[in-house]
Amino acid sequence: DDARSWLGVPVRVFGHVEAVLVVEADGSGAFDTDDQRLLEGIASQTSVALQNAQHYELAMVDGLTGLYVRRYFDSRLDEEMERATRFQTKFSVAMIDIDNFKQLNDSLGHGAGDAALREVARVIREEMRGIDTAARYGGEEFALVLPRTSLTDAYAQGERIRQRLVELRIAVEGHSEPLQITASFGIAAYPESGAVDSEELLRRADRALYRAKRTGKNRVELYWSEDERDRSAAVKGV
Protein backbone atom coordinates (compact mmCIF):
# COMPACT_ATOMS: atom_id res chain seq x y z
CA ASP A 1 0.00 0.00 0.00
CA ASP A 2 1.54 3.32 -1.12
CA ALA A 3 -0.92 5.54 0.78
CA ARG A 4 0.84 8.08 3.00
CA SER A 5 -2.30 9.73 4.37
CA TRP A 6 -5.17 7.95 6.07
CA LEU A 7 -8.40 9.26 7.57
CA GLY A 8 -11.01 7.08 9.21
CA VAL A 9 -14.21 7.66 11.18
CA PRO A 10 -16.45 5.07 12.88
CA VAL A 11 -19.91 4.16 11.64
CA ARG A 12 -22.09 3.61 14.70
CA VAL A 13 -25.37 1.70 14.66
CA PHE A 14 -27.43 2.04 17.84
CA GLY A 15 -24.32 3.13 19.72
CA HIS A 16 -22.09 0.30 18.55
CA VAL A 17 -19.26 0.66 16.06
CA GLU A 18 -20.22 -1.53 13.10
CA ALA A 19 -17.69 -0.27 10.52
CA VAL A 20 -15.01 2.29 9.83
CA LEU A 21 -15.25 4.62 6.86
CA VAL A 22 -11.74 5.16 5.46
CA VAL A 23 -10.16 7.36 2.79
CA GLU A 24 -6.50 7.30 1.74
CA ALA A 25 -4.20 9.51 -0.33
CA ASP A 26 -0.75 9.13 -1.85
CA GLY A 27 0.69 12.34 -0.45
CA SER A 28 1.42 13.13 3.17
CA GLY A 29 -0.78 15.57 5.09
CA ALA A 30 -3.56 15.26 2.53
CA PHE A 31 -6.47 15.62 4.96
CA ASP A 32 -7.50 18.48 7.26
CA THR A 33 -10.34 19.12 9.71
CA ASP A 34 -12.75 20.01 6.89
CA ASP A 35 -12.14 16.60 5.33
CA GLN A 36 -12.72 14.99 8.70
CA ARG A 37 -16.04 16.82 9.17
CA LEU A 38 -17.12 15.82 5.67
CA LEU A 39 -16.27 12.17 6.31
CA GLU A 40 -18.04 12.29 9.66
CA GLY A 41 -21.13 13.64 7.90
CA ILE A 42 -21.04 10.76 5.41
CA ALA A 43 -20.57 8.28 8.27
CA SER A 44 -23.55 9.79 10.08
CA GLN A 45 -25.78 9.41 7.02
CA THR A 46 -24.56 5.84 6.60
CA SER A 47 -25.38 5.15 10.24
CA VAL A 48 -28.94 6.47 9.83
CA ALA A 49 -29.45 4.34 6.71
CA LEU A 50 -28.23 1.20 8.49
CA GLN A 51 -30.42 1.89 11.52
CA ASN A 52 -33.45 2.39 9.29
CA ALA A 53 -32.67 -0.88 7.52
CA GLN A 54 -32.49 -2.70 10.85
CA HIS A 55 -35.77 -1.14 11.99
CA TYR A 56 -37.37 -2.30 8.74
CA GLU A 57 -36.00 -5.81 9.18
CA LEU A 58 -37.27 -5.99 12.77
CA ALA A 59 -40.71 -4.87 11.58
CA MET A 60 -40.74 -7.47 8.80
CA VAL A 61 -39.47 -10.50 10.77
CA ASP A 62 -41.45 -12.54 13.29
CA GLY A 63 -39.61 -12.52 16.61
CA LEU A 64 -40.44 -16.11 17.57
CA THR A 65 -39.73 -17.98 14.34
CA GLY A 66 -37.31 -15.69 12.52
CA LEU A 67 -39.48 -15.92 9.38
CA TYR A 68 -41.05 -12.95 7.64
CA VAL A 69 -44.37 -11.56 8.82
CA ARG A 70 -47.58 -11.65 6.81
CA ARG A 71 -47.28 -8.07 5.53
CA TYR A 72 -43.93 -8.76 3.91
CA PHE A 73 -45.17 -12.07 2.50
CA ASP A 74 -48.18 -10.43 0.86
CA SER A 75 -45.91 -7.84 -0.76
CA ARG A 76 -43.52 -10.53 -1.97
CA LEU A 77 -46.39 -12.59 -3.38
CA ASP A 78 -47.66 -9.59 -5.34
CA GLU A 79 -44.17 -9.06 -6.78
CA GLU A 80 -43.87 -12.67 -7.86
CA MET A 81 -47.32 -12.66 -9.46
CA GLU A 82 -46.41 -9.53 -11.42
CA ARG A 83 -43.11 -11.07 -12.56
CA ALA A 84 -44.69 -14.39 -13.53
CA THR A 85 -47.44 -12.64 -15.49
CA ARG A 86 -45.00 -10.38 -17.30
CA PHE A 87 -42.43 -13.01 -18.21
CA GLN A 88 -44.81 -16.00 -18.42
CA THR A 89 -43.01 -18.02 -15.77
CA LYS A 90 -44.29 -20.47 -13.16
CA PHE A 91 -44.39 -20.19 -9.40
CA SER A 92 -46.18 -21.83 -6.50
CA VAL A 93 -47.61 -20.90 -3.12
CA ALA A 94 -47.75 -23.29 -0.16
CA MET A 95 -49.80 -22.92 3.01
CA ILE A 96 -48.74 -24.99 6.03
CA ASP A 97 -50.72 -25.48 9.24
CA ILE A 98 -49.59 -27.41 12.32
CA ASP A 99 -52.15 -30.09 13.11
CA ASN A 100 -54.03 -30.02 16.43
CA PHE A 101 -52.12 -26.95 17.60
CA LYS A 102 -54.82 -25.69 19.97
CA GLN A 103 -54.92 -29.03 21.76
CA LEU A 104 -51.13 -28.94 22.02
CA ASN A 105 -51.24 -25.52 23.69
CA ASP A 106 -54.10 -26.51 25.97
CA SER A 107 -52.51 -29.76 27.13
CA LEU A 108 -48.80 -28.88 27.29
CA GLY A 109 -48.84 -25.09 27.57
CA HIS A 110 -47.75 -22.23 25.35
CA GLY A 111 -44.08 -23.04 25.90
CA ALA A 112 -44.60 -26.28 24.02
CA GLY A 113 -46.48 -24.43 21.30
CA ASP A 114 -43.66 -21.92 20.92
CA ALA A 115 -41.11 -24.73 20.71
CA ALA A 116 -43.15 -26.39 17.97
CA LEU A 117 -43.39 -23.14 15.98
CA ARG A 118 -39.64 -22.56 16.21
CA GLU A 119 -38.83 -26.09 15.07
CA VAL A 120 -41.26 -26.01 12.17
CA ALA A 121 -39.73 -22.69 11.07
CA ARG A 122 -36.24 -24.20 11.29
CA VAL A 123 -37.21 -27.15 9.08
CA ILE A 124 -38.85 -24.84 6.56
CA ARG A 125 -35.72 -22.67 6.36
CA GLU A 126 -33.49 -25.70 5.86
CA GLU A 127 -35.64 -26.95 2.97
CA MET A 128 -35.87 -23.58 1.24
CA ARG A 129 -33.81 -22.39 -1.70
CA GLY A 130 -32.25 -18.96 -1.71
CA ILE A 131 -35.00 -17.59 -3.97
CA ASP A 132 -37.88 -18.85 -1.79
CA THR A 133 -39.73 -16.73 0.76
CA ALA A 134 -41.24 -18.13 3.96
CA ALA A 135 -43.44 -16.35 6.48
CA ARG A 136 -45.34 -16.99 9.65
CA TYR A 137 -48.72 -16.16 8.23
CA GLY A 138 -50.65 -16.17 11.48
CA GLY A 139 -50.84 -18.30 14.62
CA GLU A 140 -49.70 -21.80 13.68
CA GLU A 141 -49.90 -21.17 9.93
CA PHE A 142 -46.94 -20.64 7.58
CA ALA A 143 -46.80 -19.60 3.94
CA LEU A 144 -44.18 -19.99 1.19
CA VAL A 145 -43.61 -18.33 -2.18
CA LEU A 146 -41.68 -20.68 -4.47
CA PRO A 147 -40.49 -18.88 -7.62
CA ARG A 148 -39.94 -20.80 -10.87
CA THR A 149 -41.58 -23.85 -9.29
CA SER A 150 -44.23 -26.00 -10.96
CA LEU A 151 -47.07 -27.65 -9.07
CA THR A 152 -45.34 -31.04 -9.03
CA ASP A 153 -42.02 -29.57 -7.87
CA ALA A 154 -43.81 -27.65 -5.12
CA TYR A 155 -45.49 -30.88 -4.09
CA ALA A 156 -42.10 -32.58 -3.77
CA GLN A 157 -40.80 -29.74 -1.62
CA GLY A 158 -43.89 -29.85 0.57
CA GLU A 159 -43.52 -33.60 1.00
CA ARG A 160 -39.91 -33.20 2.13
CA ILE A 161 -40.96 -30.71 4.78
CA ARG A 162 -43.95 -32.82 5.87
CA GLN A 163 -41.82 -35.94 6.27
CA ARG A 164 -39.18 -34.10 8.27
CA LEU A 165 -41.86 -32.79 10.62
CA VAL A 166 -43.15 -36.32 11.16
CA GLU A 167 -39.64 -37.33 12.22
CA LEU A 168 -39.15 -34.40 14.59
CA ARG A 169 -38.77 -35.02 18.31
CA ILE A 170 -39.05 -31.71 20.16
CA ALA A 171 -37.76 -31.37 23.70
CA VAL A 172 -40.18 -29.44 25.93
CA GLU A 173 -39.07 -28.11 29.29
CA GLY A 174 -40.89 -29.82 32.15
CA HIS A 175 -41.96 -32.82 30.05
CA SER A 176 -40.06 -36.10 29.94
CA GLU A 177 -41.47 -37.21 26.59
CA PRO A 178 -40.46 -35.33 23.43
CA LEU A 179 -43.21 -33.62 21.49
CA GLN A 180 -44.25 -35.05 18.13
CA ILE A 181 -46.16 -33.01 15.57
CA THR A 182 -47.56 -33.19 12.07
CA ALA A 183 -48.69 -30.52 9.61
CA SER A 184 -51.09 -30.21 6.69
CA PHE A 185 -50.20 -28.53 3.39
CA GLY A 186 -52.13 -26.80 0.63
CA ILE A 187 -50.38 -25.85 -2.61
CA ALA A 188 -51.51 -23.84 -5.63
CA ALA A 189 -49.45 -22.89 -8.67
CA TYR A 190 -49.52 -20.21 -11.31
CA PRO A 191 -50.66 -20.57 -14.03
CA GLU A 192 -51.90 -24.13 -13.38
CA SER A 193 -54.50 -23.04 -10.84
CA GLY A 194 -56.16 -20.57 -13.18
CA ALA A 195 -55.87 -17.80 -10.58
CA VAL A 196 -55.84 -14.31 -12.07
CA ASP A 197 -54.14 -12.50 -9.17
CA SER A 198 -52.11 -13.19 -6.05
CA GLU A 199 -55.06 -12.98 -3.69
CA GLU A 200 -56.97 -15.62 -5.63
CA LEU A 201 -53.90 -17.86 -5.82
CA LEU A 202 -53.51 -17.70 -2.05
CA ARG A 203 -57.18 -18.52 -1.55
CA ARG A 204 -56.80 -21.59 -3.74
CA ALA A 205 -53.79 -22.77 -1.76
CA ASP A 206 -55.85 -22.25 1.40
CA ARG A 207 -58.69 -24.28 -0.14
CA ALA A 208 -56.26 -27.14 -0.75
CA LEU A 209 -55.08 -26.81 2.87
CA TYR A 210 -58.67 -27.05 4.08
CA ARG A 211 -59.09 -30.25 2.06
CA ALA A 212 -55.94 -31.67 3.66
CA LYS A 213 -57.37 -30.95 7.11
CA ARG A 214 -60.78 -32.37 6.23
CA THR A 215 -59.42 -35.59 4.77
CA GLY A 216 -57.13 -36.73 7.56
CA LYS A 217 -54.40 -34.12 8.20
CA ASN A 218 -50.64 -34.78 7.90
CA ARG A 219 -50.85 -34.66 4.13
CA VAL A 220 -50.12 -32.50 1.10
CA GLU A 221 -53.03 -31.43 -1.11
CA LEU A 222 -52.77 -29.66 -4.47
CA TYR A 223 -55.27 -27.25 -5.95
CA TRP A 224 -56.32 -28.19 -9.47
CA SER A 225 -57.99 -25.83 -11.94
CA GLU A 226 -61.77 -25.56 -11.76
CA ASP A 227 -62.40 -27.98 -14.62
CA GLU A 228 -60.42 -30.60 -12.69
CA ARG A 229 -61.51 -29.69 -9.17
CA ASP A 230 -62.64 -33.22 -8.34
CA ARG A 231 -59.17 -34.59 -8.92
CA SER A 232 -57.08 -35.04 -5.81
CA ALA A 233 -53.32 -35.11 -5.60
CA ALA A 234 -53.20 -35.93 -1.92
CA VAL A 235 -50.64 -38.27 -0.46
CA LYS A 236 -51.64 -39.56 2.94
CA GLY A 237 -49.05 -39.01 5.67
CA VAL A 238 -47.27 -41.58 7.72
Side-chain angles (χ1 to χ4, degrees):
D1 192 346
D2 296 329
R4 301 184 66 185
S5 295
W6 183 96
L7 178 63
V9 296
V11 177
R12 301 179 186 274
V13 180
F14 300 117
H16 299 284
V17 176
E18 297 291 340
V20 176
L21 194 58
V22 174
V23 291
E24 296 178 340
D26 294 339
S28 60
F31 304 115
D32 57 21
T33 53
D34 288 338
D35 296 317
Q36 181 176 344
R37 282 195 293 270
L38 175 60
L39 195 61
E40 287 173 346
I42 296 172
S44 177
Q45 293 177 11
T46 303
S47 174
V48 170
L50 290 173
Q51 289 179 173
N52 288 341
Q54 287 196 17
H55 278 305
Y56 178 80
E57 181 179 356
L58 289 172
M60 292 296 104
V61 174
D62 175 63
L64 178 64
T65 63
L67 301 180
Y68 288 113
V69 297
R70 178 172 180 168
R71 181 172 55 171
Y72 180 88
F73 177 87
D74 288 341
S75 174
R76 180 70 189 85
L77 177 57
D78 288 341
E79 291 174 359
E80 194 58 40
M81 175 60 81
E82 182 179 351
R83 181 180 293 110
T85 303
R86 180 179 179 185
F87 297 106
Q88 298 184 333
T89 58
K90 297 180 178 181
F91 80 101
S92 295
V93 172
M95 302 293 290
I96 306 169
D97 190 89
I98 300 176
D99 296 327
N100 306 313
F101 189 76
K102 184 180 184 302
Q103 294 92 314
L104 186 159
N105 270 333
D106 291 344
S107 60
L108 298 180
H110 290 283
D114 288 350
L117 289 168
R118 284 193 295 267
E119 284 297 291
V120 171
R122 178 183 63 81
V123 170
I124 289 173
R125 280 195 301 271
E126 290 175 357
E127 291 295 336
M128 285 171 52
R129 303 164 301 171
I131 61 174
D132 298 337
T133 299
R136 182 182 179 190
Y137 204 69
E140 70 275 21
E141 194 169 43
F142 300 84
L144 281 70
V145 175
L146 308 173
R148 300 198 296 273
T149 305
S150 67
L151 190 64
T152 54
D153 288 339
Y155 170 79
Q157 189 165 348
E159 260 299 298
R160 288 195 300 271
I161 296 172
R162 187 199 64 79
Q163 185 58 43
R164 285 195 58 185
L165 296 182
V166 169
E167 297 167 357
L168 269 183
R169 300 296 180 269
I170 304 170
V172 177
E173 186 175 356
H175 298 274
S176 57
E177 293 296 321
L179 175 64
Q180 296 179 248
I181 60 171
T182 62
S184 298
F185 295 68
I187 296 173
Y190 178 86
E192 290 101 321
S193 69
V196 297
D197 56 34
S198 58
E199 186 176 339
E200 187 175 8
L201 182 64
L202 196 62
R203 282 199 305 268
R204 294 185 174 189
D206 197 55
R207 195 178 305 174
L209 172 62
Y210 176 75
R211 190 191 316 129
K213 290 288 188 181
R214 191 182 66 238
T215 55
K217 304 178 181 179
N218 186 28
R219 57 198 292 138
V220 179
E221 283 277 354
L222 307 181
Y223 181 90
W224 297 93
S225 59
E226 288 297 320
D227 61 336
E228 297 178 358
R229 59 188 172 187
D230 293 328
R231 290 179 56 187
S232 172
V235 173
K236 189 168 184 178
V238 177

